[in-house]
Amino acid sequence: MTLSRRTFMAGAAAAPLAGALPRLALAEMTIGEATLTTVSDGNLVLPGGFVFDTMPQDELPALLQEFGLSRDRVTPECNLALYRDGTHTVLFDVGSGPDFMPSAGKIVDSLDAAGVAPEDVTHVLFTHAHPDHIWGLLDDFDEPLFYEATCLMGRAEWDYWWNPETVDTIGEARAAFAVGAKRRMEAIEDSVEFFDDGDEVLPGIAAVATHGHTPGHMAFELRGGSDAALVVGDAIGNHHAAFRKPHWESGADHDKQSAIAVRQMLLDRLASEQMPLVGFHLPQGGMGRVERDGDAYRFVGG
């Protein structure tokens, strides 16, 4: 297995909240005869409390200092996985699109840097339906961006966001998430295909249930010959607390206890097997490995 990194800088001016030029970072590896690349959708700009409010406040300052983080604001990368095997061009999630926040929604430029046009994508596989993962289904004109692609989503995830009661039970702060997800899902409802835990979604790509961050969150295990990698979506949502304190609750997770159990299971497996992973919000293009560090873990990019 080979792994390389290329970085592209967009020429446009920085988004008002981003604080820097959007990065079209690409990390790449081979899996058998296929290529797995990460393509950037930009970054999010979130209040720190979205992640940190549920964590032990007396222990949090040491973690923030270790990673040079602000308690007030986090700016995680958004890294989509792109898989090409010569027959299929598969995009895992579709990014934020034009309507979520100005620092994100850069996927078209990033795909172009990787030599891929939206119409080249044959399949879109969703980890889950949060705004930064599904709102990019529609372009500036509210038309499907990946109009040649077959869209696939885990059955439990679809059922949760399609349920009309979700908008009233998800909480006022996230009601827009439900409205936005439903609108995008309506655009593909006549053609979407569903899968369940353990299904081989496409040749060499198997679904792995990682519920917790959302009720039906899915990861994907990719295999080719002796090579393998795991696309984890937001099941491992950052490079700091998720690795150093995987037992801490994250404010970003829907079912916090389920998310903790999934996170600990994935970190243990990835460290034991030394299987590469792609994390949507991990740094350096999102591709790397997990290493044990005492009774915790650390992310090693590249």
Side-chain angles (χ1 to χ4, degrees):
M1 182 182 299
T2 59
L3 180 67
S4 62
R5 188 173 303 281
R6 296 170 288 160
T7 301
F8 299 85
M9 297 298 294
L17 294 177
L21 291 174
R23 295 192 306 156
L24 309 183
L26 298 179
E28 191 170 276
M29 71 171 69
T30 57
I31 302 178
E33 299 300 316
T35 301
L36 181 64
T37 308
T38 58
V39 288
S40 176
D41 194 48
N43 67 276
L44 302 183
V45 180
L46 301 171
F50 183 78
V51 177
F52 299 132
D53 276 358
T54 57
M55 297 179 180
Q57 297 302 296
D58 57 336
E59 299 181 55
L60 184 59
L63 179 82
L64 298 177
Q65 183 177 13
E66 178 182 354
F67 288 93
L69 300 171
S70 166
R71 176 65 175 81
D72 300 322
R73 190 180 80 158
V74 291
T75 57
E77 294 181 17
C78 298
N79 298 298
L80 284 69
L82 176 69
Y83 177 85
R84 289 170 284 183
D85 64 5
T87 301
H88 307 99
T89 298
V90 183
L91 191 61
F92 294 84
D93 298 324
V94 292
S96 296
D99 299 329
F100 188 46
M101 59 179 60
S103 58
K106 317 300 182 185
I107 186 59
V108 173
D109 289 338
S110 293
L111 286 173
D112 182 65
V116 177
E119 60 268 26
D120 295 333
V121 176
T122 63
H123 297 81
V124 171
L125 307 185
F126 288 103
T127 62
H128 64 299
H130 273 164
D132 50 329
H133 295 256
I134 196 173
W135 283 23
L137 263 180
L138 302 180
D139 64 16
D140 293 337
F141 304 99
D142 260 7
E143 296 292 334
L145 178 60
F146 302 99
Y147 53 88
E148 295 288 349
T150 299
C151 294
L152 301 97
M153 185 180 292
R155 196 179 311 271
E157 186 72 1
W158 178 278
D159 289 346
Y160 174 73
W161 296 101
W162 194 257
N163 187 339
E165 296 181 2
T166 295
V167 68
D168 297 319
T169 57
I170 198 172
E172 183 178 356
R174 302 191 188 194
F177 290 14
V179 173
K182 184 72 175 291
R183 187 160 76 86
R184 275 81 181 171
M185 291 161 68
E186 287 172 346
I188 60 172
E189 66 173 309
D190 294 332
S191 59
V192 67
E193 298 180 6
F194 301 112
F195 57 85
D196 296 299
D197 180 34
D199 287 352
E200 185 176 43
V201 182
L202 288 169
I205 303 176
V208 181
T210 48
H211 305 170
H213 180 68
T214 60
H217 189 286
M218 285 285 188
F220 298 93
E221 184 172 335
L222 283 52
R223 289 196 173 272
S226 61
D227 298 333
L230 198 65
V231 176
V232 301
D234 284 3
I236 302 175
N238 58 66
H239 68 293
H240 40 84
F243 284 79
R244 302 301 294 166
K245 304 289 184 180
H247 58 288
W248 283 5
E249 292 186 355
S250 170
D253 293 331
H254 177 90
D255 181 336
K256 294 174 176 52
Q257 290 304 307
S258 293
I260 288 171
V262 163
R263 188 160 54 242
Q264 292 176 319
M265 176 273 292
L266 289 175
L267 289 167
D268 179 70
R269 180 186 175 192
L270 289 164
S272 297
E273 298 181 15
Q274 278 298 285
M275 183 190 299
L277 80 157
V278 176
F280 194 88
H281 294 304
L282 298 182
Q284 303 178 53
M287 190 177 288
R289 295 180 185 271
V290 178
E291 290 189 356
R292 299 186 191 278
D293 188 2
D295 59 357
Y297 303 87
R298 62 189 179 99
F299 174 68
V300 180

